[in-house]
Amino acid sequence: MKIAFLSAFALDANASLINALSKKCDVYFFIEALYEINNFLDKEKLKKTITSGTEVEDLQRFRDFISLDKTYVIKGTRNVDILRKLYISYKINRYIKKINPDVIIIDNYMLTYFVSTLMFRKKMLMIVHDPFLHSGENYVVDRYLRNIHFSLIKHKILLNKNQQNDFIRHYHFDPDHIHTSFLSIYDFLRYHQSDKQVVSSEFNILFFGRISPYKGIRFLLDAFTYLLATGKYPDISLTIAGSGSFDFDIEIYRQYPEIKILNEYIYPEKLANLISQSSVVVCPYIDATQSGVIMSAFAFKKPVIATNVGGLPEMVEDQKTGLIIKPQDSQAIVNAVSTLYDDRNLLEEMSHNIEKTYFSGEKSWEASAEQFLRACEKINK
């Protein structure tokens, strides 16, 4: 089977999925360089509208992981520049027509691939990263483009099962056209790690990712200051790392030397080092779908404390690869952190379980790719 994979973001996840799919079929990968925060590609280094992966400096570290001669990087432009966007879409479609894929997987509803969406929509499988838009991020343009693509592309695949039935009911979709798979570990990040020998003697708690109201960061900060106030955890620290605007006054927390706030875009190398030096990662989300943060943590075998929202309980197995707690509950975070702080054997056992399940077991990329291929086979009948 020949597959064209059209992506506008998520190189961190897609590189691993492309690698797994390529072991079973012929895969051509298109990735847009637009905002560096989306896929860590600097579009200013690109001299052409569409550049072969073999010529893109930022991809060379992955030459043994994905086929760069079947990878194409698009020098993107924003949706507001509609004419330029559609012209680029037309040029991409000329490449796709030459490839003549059996199935096209698309992971976005940008205008980047709109011409191909119109022409090849019956061959398409759309990855729906967010079955329901996050609270505080329900933008008009996003809704409009999303609804257009939902109407054009019949087959869709979610990255968790928890939301499948609600998604079908909400949009009145045919259940036979809604498939599921899952994210696995972000191998991508391990290619960026530099401080491989650094091991901290502290118990480091890490939150990382885009700063947004639905992330529930204040509940984590309040829990951590409570832990400090008890005086029982002398070697504990917390790092908050990510770009975005806080929806509360962050300055009151900056006074604590045990709290490090990196309110900036975190490049892959720095992120890889932050995760590898952490003891546990916390996802205190108020709502969620699935989480690339969890898969990034698992790539370094770090247990995760996550709230019981969206598809997170599918990703973090309670008491085995981390702890699942109530959302919007600082005391629940306190209890979870203290449990892992006091029981380092449990922490180590969770790390071992992550390796067993996600590196080669039932939650590996190979297992995820099999579910993608089953959906592709239905489309290709």
Side-chain angles (χ1 to χ4, degrees):
M1 184 187 300
K2 192 184 293 184
I3 293 175
F5 196 114
L6 314 183
S7 178
F9 51 84
L11 178 60
D12 43 12
N14 287 340
S16 296
L17 180 56
I18 296 297
N19 174 271
L21 287 170
S22 297
K23 295 172 183 176
K24 300 283 186 177
C25 52
D26 197 12
V27 183
Y28 293 80
F29 183 30
F30 291 77
I31 178 77
E32 182 179 29
L34 180 55
Y35 301 114
E36 198 170 356
I37 192 172
N38 284 347
N39 51 36
F40 318 110
L41 298 172
D42 184 355
K43 77 171 188 174
E44 301 307 321
K45 294 179 181 178
L46 302 174
K47 297 179 181 179
K48 296 181 287 187
T49 303
I50 302 174
T51 304
S52 169
T54 58
E55 302 172 30
V56 178
E57 178 186 344
D58 294 331
L59 291 178
Q60 296 312 304
R61 70 178 72 225
F62 308 113
R63 59 185 175 272
D64 297 326
F65 193 57
I66 59 175
S67 298
L68 296 186
D69 58 341
K70 294 182 181 179
T71 298
Y72 302 91
V73 180
I74 299 128
K75 188 172 185 177
T77 188
R78 295 177 62 194
N79 278 336
V80 292
D81 190 355
I82 295 176
L83 293 180
R84 175 67 180 167
K85 198 78 170 177
L86 291 176
Y87 173 68
I88 292 173
S89 183
Y90 164 75
K91 291 191 72 172
I92 295 167
N93 192 61
R94 291 175 62 184
Y95 277 74
I96 294 172
K97 284 172 70 176
K98 289 180 182 178
I99 293 168
N100 191 27
D102 299 301
V103 177
I104 296 174
I105 299 174
I106 185 168
D107 73 356
N108 65 93
Y109 42 83
M110 301 284 285
L111 291 175
T112 309
Y113 306 108
F114 192 65
V115 173
S116 300
T117 299
L118 291 174
M119 180 169 288
F120 294 105
R121 60 188 180 275
K122 292 183 180 179
K123 286 185 173 185
M124 279 192 161
L125 173 66
M126 183 178 188
I127 302 175
V128 182
H129 286 271
D130 295 317
F132 308 100
L133 294 173
H134 295 302
S135 56
E137 299 190 349
N138 195 348
Y139 305 120
V140 173
V141 174
D142 281 352
R143 289 203 312 270
Y144 184 70
L145 289 174
R146 179 183 171 96
N147 289 337
I148 289 175
H149 282 75
F150 276 8
S151 64
L152 290 173
I153 302 171
K154 183 167 64 174
H155 285 269
K156 303 167 184 72
I157 187 164
L158 311 187
L159 297 177
N160 72 80
K161 287 184 178 179
N162 276 7
Q163 295 175 305
Q164 183 180 17
N165 291 334
D166 289 341
F167 181 69
I168 290 167
R169 282 195 296 267
H170 182 81
Y171 290 100
H172 308 290
F173 289 140
D174 184 338
D176 289 338
H177 299 152
I178 308 302
H179 316 276
T180 65
S181 187
F182 52 86
L183 292 174
S184 190
I185 58 169
Y186 282 14
D187 310 272
F188 166 92
L189 278 173
R190 295 206 302 272
Y191 285 82
H192 291 274
Q193 185 182 2
S194 59
D195 294 342
K196 296 184 180 181
Q197 305 304 318
V198 176
V199 178
S200 175
S201 59
E202 292 187 342
F203 188 89
N204 297 312
I205 303 165
L206 174 65
F207 169 95
F208 65 91
R210 186 163 48 88
I211 307 300
S212 185
Y214 81 90
K215 296 294 184 72
I217 299 169
R218 184 165 190 169
F219 296 100
L220 172 58
L221 285 163
D222 287 344
F224 185 76
T225 54
Y226 175 86
L227 288 166
L228 289 178
T230 66
K232 298 178 181 178
Y233 311 94
D235 60 344
I236 200 169
S237 63
L238 170 65
T239 299
I240 305 289
S243 60
S245 300
F246 291 94
D247 61 325
F248 58 91
D249 183 8
I250 195 67
E251 295 306 317
I252 60 174
Y253 299 101
R254 291 187 187 275
Q255 64 184 295
Y256 294 92
E258 297 88 353
I259 299 176
K260 187 176 184 180
I261 298 173
L262 304 173
N263 190 199
E264 62 192 45
Y265 173 63
I266 308 298
Y267 284 87
E269 181 175 310
K270 189 169 188 177
L271 178 58
N273 294 333
L274 283 172
I275 299 171
S276 66
Q277 294 164 24
S278 69
S279 303
V280 63
V281 171
V282 181
C283 297
Y285 302 166
I286 295 170
D287 62 66
T289 48
Q290 55 285 329
S291 172
V293 167
I294 294 173
M295 292 300 102
S296 298
F298 283 1
F300 296 91
K301 306 175 192 176
K302 301 297 180 178
V304 174
I305 297 169
T307 48
N308 188 13
V309 294
L312 302 194
E314 286 184 37
M315 305 177 81
V316 178
E317 191 173 357
D318 190 40
Q319 301 294 326
K320 291 195 174 181
T321 58
L323 298 173
I324 295 294
I325 62 173
K326 288 171 57 180
Q328 302 186 67
D329 189 337
S330 293
Q331 187 58 49
I333 299 174
V334 167
N335 295 342
V337 170
S338 61
T339 294
L340 297 181
Y341 182 94
D342 292 335
D343 192 346
R344 303 303 172 89
N345 289 333
L346 176 59
L347 200 64
E348 185 63 31
E349 184 181 332
M350 287 177 172
S351 180
H352 175 73
N353 290 337
I354 291 167
E355 180 177 16
K356 181 179 176 183
T357 302
Y358 281 91
F359 281 64
S360 59
E362 62 192 39
K363 293 286 188 176
S364 66
W365 277 115
E366 284 70 23
S368 175
E370 285 294 338
Q371 297 194 31
F372 270 87
L373 289 174
R374 281 198 287 272
C376 290
E377 286 164 1
K378 281 192 175 182
I379 296 170
N380 195 39
K381 282 184 178 178

